[in-house]
Amino acid sequence: MEETTDTLRTMAGHGKTRPKNSGTKKLFDNPILEALSRTHIMIPISMWLILSAFLGWYAFTYTDMGTGMIATLFVVGLFSFTLFEYILHRYLYHIAPTTPQRAKIQYTFHGVHHEYPKDKTRLAMPPALAIFVAAFFFGLFFLMMGEAAYAFFPGFLVGYSGYLATHFIVHAYAPPKNFFKQLWVNHSVHHYKNPESNYGVSSPFWDYIFGSFQK
């Protein structure tokens, strides 16, 4: 039983096995699925920034919202993403591997990243999947707030793009000599010291709020 538990924890990225400093991991036997599980970081960043600009243009052009309201909703969307990032990372990406099925799901979504943190092709959700996720959330926000979603969602997407860029920088490069250095250190603690801490990548704000920050 103890051996099985250790195996599940390792699969989910919670074990004490040291992350590999190079290499990659094949997740799917099907070559198409395997290719779709990878992406160059600029593809999703470009997608979401372009979509954000389009939705912002639509909000200005085809809705009754004024500039002040659009700007406010954009900032609220941006800030809301930081909380969403924290919750997603802590409670979904690090879901407890209590069964082989849960462990496999967690490993596919995030555990493989903990095992191969320098694999640049898996530092973002693949666009083929992300498009459906984005459509779901835009639909959800539209149901919740109506046309305000055209201003809120661009902020949310810019927040996500910032997260993607930050996540790529801290994994793909040596510690930078600028404000990204502290984010690099924070995320390194999560990967190499305690995976149950420092869930915020783009900001440590919510780790401070919820007591999960570790130096």
Side-chain angles (χ1 to χ4, degrees), residues 117-131:
K118 295 187 181 298
D119 183 355
K120 296 179 183 180
T121 68
R122 288 206 170 105
L123 293 178
M125 183 182 295
L129 174 61
I131 289 172

Side-chain angles (χ1 to χ4, degrees), residues 57-72:
W57 167 81
Y58 189 94
F60 277 108
T61 307
Y62 292 105
T63 72
D64 296 327
M65 294 182 292
T67 301
M69 177 60 71
I70 292 174
T72 299

Side-chain angles (χ1 to χ4, degrees):
M1 179 64 180
E2 183 178 351
E3 181 179 355
T4 300
T5 301
D6 290 342
T7 300
L8 293 176
R9 288 174 62 83
T10 300
M11 285 179 66
H14 293 281
K16 295 183 179 180
T17 303
R18 292 183 62 84
K20 297 175 177 60
N21 290 320
S22 63
T24 186
K25 179 70 172 286
K26 184 178 179 181
L27 289 178
F28 302 100
D29 293 330
N30 186 301
I32 296 177
L33 288 178
E34 179 65 17
L36 290 176
S37 73
R38 304 173 184 273
T39 184
H40 188 284
I41 193 64
M42 287 309 301
I43 294 177
I45 289 178
S46 299
M47 284 171 48
W48 305 133
L49 291 180
I50 291 171
L51 179 57
S52 177
F54 171 78
L55 292 174
W57 167 81
Y58 189 94
F60 277 108
T61 307
Y62 292 105
T63 72
D64 296 327
M65 294 182 292
T67 301
M69 177 60 71
I70 292 174
T72 299
L73 287 167
F74 180 91
V75 172
V76 172
L78 183 63
F79 183 71
S80 297
F81 176 79
T82 63
L83 178 59
F84 175 81
E85 172 199 332
Y86 178 88
I87 292 173
L88 185 74
H89 192 181
R90 181 170 185 173
Y91 296 107
L92 178 60
Y93 286 174
H94 284 269
I95 187 173
T98 53
T99 68
Q101 291 76 21
R102 283 165 66 105
K104 184 176 181 179
I105 291 172
Q106 197 280 339
Y107 183 83
T108 301
F109 274 95
H110 193 63
V112 65
H113 169 56
H114 271 263
E115 187 175 2
Y116 296 91
K118 295 187 181 298
D119 183 355
K120 296 179 183 180
T121 68
R122 288 206 170 105
L123 293 178
M125 183 182 295
L129 174 61
I131 289 172
F132 292 99
V133 174
F136 168 80
F137 277 103
F138 178 75
L140 178 64
F141 293 146
F142 191 83
L143 288 174
M144 293 171 59
M145 59 184 72
E147 68 176 12
Y150 290 109
F152 176 88
F153 199 50
F156 196 86
L157 289 176
V158 169
Y160 181 48
S161 298
Y163 155 80
L164 290 177
T166 302
H167 194 220
F168 184 83
I169 288 170
V170 300
H171 278 293
Y173 299 103
K177 297 179 180 180
N178 52 40
F179 69 95
F180 280 108
K181 182 177 181 178
Q182 190 56 53
L183 296 177
W184 190 98
V185 172
N186 291 346
H187 199 53
S188 293
V189 170
H190 175 74
H191 272 275
Y192 300 102
K193 189 174 182 180
N194 183 7
E196 296 180 0
S197 71
N198 297 26
Y199 296 101
V201 176
S202 60
S203 169
F205 177 78
W206 296 108
D207 283 299
Y208 284 114
I209 296 297
F210 295 117
S212 54
F213 182 79
Q214 180 176 335
K215 292 184 179 180

